[in-house]
Amino acid sequence: MSYEIEYLVILQDEETRKDYDYMLDHPEEYYSHYYHYYSRRLAPKVDVRVVILVSVCAISVFQFFSWWNSYDKAISYLATVPKYRIQAMEIAKQQGLLGKAKEKGRNKKSKEEIRDKEESIIKNIIKSKIDIKGGYQKPQICDLLLFQILLAPFHLCSYIVWYCRWIYNFNIKGKEYGEEERLYIIRKSMKMSKSQFDSLEDHQKETFLKRELWIKENYEIYKQEQEEELKKKLANDPRWKRYRRWMKNEGPGRLTFVDD
């Protein structure tokens, strides 16, 4: 009876039926047939979509905690910089937060708790007053891989609309670039990502605009100036001088063998 049931299963499954017919035509490959048969039966039947979904969710969770850890380290570092620490302490004094922390600390008679409370207040003020950009910015849910995949159709449509408007306004109608468009062209010329460009200081962006770097000729002049400036800095850098002397005298990858 069991053989009949198994034979019916073979007839219903197209892949298994092909293997069965192949075995009938090639009886000499008896052991090979059984290997494929049992490997297929014992193989875990997991939906690939579930595996992909779980993998994407796991990567997204890792991204979130990794980015949050980087953001927390950036806040901790800024809390040690005198410029930001003094400003945060002044704001805390104006709001009366430091006095409350000391009162709570006296009630418990713990200097460590007072210090930890004050540090927490300073960090919270820095978080609320400073907008960190670039790789250490505050993590956003919409930046995670899972949400990026879900929002991909929306981003694609938005880009197509933006690109069509760009072509229509500036290529067809010949409108003058605004500040946002000028900075976009400058960023593309510098081959920088949006997060990298956003992390630049405002005075640097103002310099780019004053020098009209969205114009290709002006950017080429600026780029050449930066390269010349970098060469001068390297020429006066003692570590770079030592490296050049080593390259000249020893050279890379030179091997010497000393006979004993």
Side-chain angles (χ1 to χ4, degrees):
M1 185 69 179
S2 61
Y3 289 107
E4 293 178 357
I5 295 174
E6 187 172 358
Y7 183 74
L8 289 174
V9 172
I10 291 173
L11 292 178
Q12 291 174 0
D13 188 354
E14 184 177 352
E15 292 294 329
T16 310
R17 187 168 65 250
K18 288 180 180 179
D19 290 344
Y20 182 77
D21 293 338
Y22 182 83
M23 185 198 72
L24 294 178
D25 295 336
H26 303 82
E28 70 279 0
E29 299 182 13
Y30 178 83
Y31 294 103
S32 175
H33 166 73
Y34 267 83
Y35 169 77
H36 290 295
Y37 174 73
Y38 283 108
S39 63
R40 179 173 296 171
R41 290 197 62 181
L42 298 176
K45 296 181 180 179
V46 181
D47 193 343
V48 178
R49 293 171 294 182
V50 175
V51 175
I52 294 174
L53 178 61
V54 172
S55 301
V56 170
C57 291
I59 293 172
S60 300
V61 171
F62 176 78
Q63 279 182 324
F64 181 79
F65 285 104
S66 177
W67 288 347
W68 188 265
N69 185 45
S70 299
Y71 174 72
D72 191 57
K73 286 182 179 179
I75 294 296
S76 300
Y77 170 74
L78 292 175
T80 63
V81 177
K83 173 184 175 182
Y84 301 110
R85 188 176 185 86
I86 292 171
Q87 291 179 359
M89 290 184 70
E90 288 296 328
I91 294 173
K93 288 178 182 178
Q94 292 174 5
Q95 297 177 356
L97 298 175
L98 291 180
K100 292 180 181 179
K102 290 181 179 179
E103 288 177 3
K104 290 181 180 179
R106 289 196 187 98
N107 294 333
K108 295 182 179 180
K109 297 180 182 181
S110 173
K111 293 182 178 179
E112 291 184 0
E113 287 183 355
I114 296 174
R115 188 166 54 251
D116 293 341
K117 186 65 178 178
E118 290 180 352
E119 198 69 22
S120 177
I121 291 170
I122 290 171
K123 288 181 179 180
N124 288 332
I125 292 174
I126 291 175
K127 286 180 181 179
S128 62
K129 298 297 180 181
I130 296 179
D131 183 19
I132 301 176
K133 298 178 180 179
Y136 294 93
Q137 64 184 1
K138 189 175 182 179
Q140 302 292 332
I141 296 295
C142 59
D143 292 333
L144 299 177
L145 178 61
L146 176 62
F147 289 91
Q148 287 292 309
I149 293 174
L150 295 175
L151 296 173
F154 171 76
H155 290 315
L156 180 60
C157 294
S158 300
Y159 176 77
I160 293 173
V161 172
W162 172 86
Y163 185 75
C164 292
R165 285 180 179 177
W166 183 284
I167 296 296
Y168 177 74
N169 289 328
F170 303 115
N171 292 15
I172 297 175
K173 295 188 69 175
K175 284 186 177 181
E176 187 177 349
Y177 294 128
E179 182 176 318
E180 184 178 350
E181 289 78 20
R182 291 171 180 175
L183 289 174
Y184 172 79
I185 295 173
I186 294 170
R187 178 171 69 84
K188 287 298 182 181
S189 299
M190 293 183 173
K191 298 180 180 179
M192 298 176 67
S193 65
K194 190 176 185 303
S195 60
Q196 289 175 328
F197 194 79
D198 290 342
S199 64
L200 297 177
E201 298 290 340
D202 291 335
H203 68 86
Q204 290 178 290
K205 297 178 183 178
E206 290 176 3
T207 302
F208 298 158
L209 294 173
K210 286 179 180 178
R211 298 197 57 175
E212 299 182 349
L213 296 186
W214 66 89
I215 301 174
K216 187 176 180 180
E217 292 76 10
N218 295 343
Y219 176 73
E220 292 298 330
I221 295 172
Y222 172 81
K223 183 180 178 181
Q224 188 174 359
E225 290 176 356
Q226 293 298 308
E227 291 175 352
E228 292 295 331
E229 186 177 348
L230 179 60
K231 289 179 181 178
K232 290 180 181 179
K233 287 182 179 179
L234 291 175
N236 297 324
D237 189 351
R239 290 177 298 179
W240 178 249
K241 288 180 179 179
R242 289 197 298 268
Y243 174 74
R244 285 190 300 173
R245 285 197 298 268
W246 178 81
M247 288 291 291
K248 182 179 179 180
N249 298 329
E250 301 294 333
R254 178 173 295 181
L255 298 175
T256 57
F257 296 91
V258 180
D259 296 331
D260 295 334

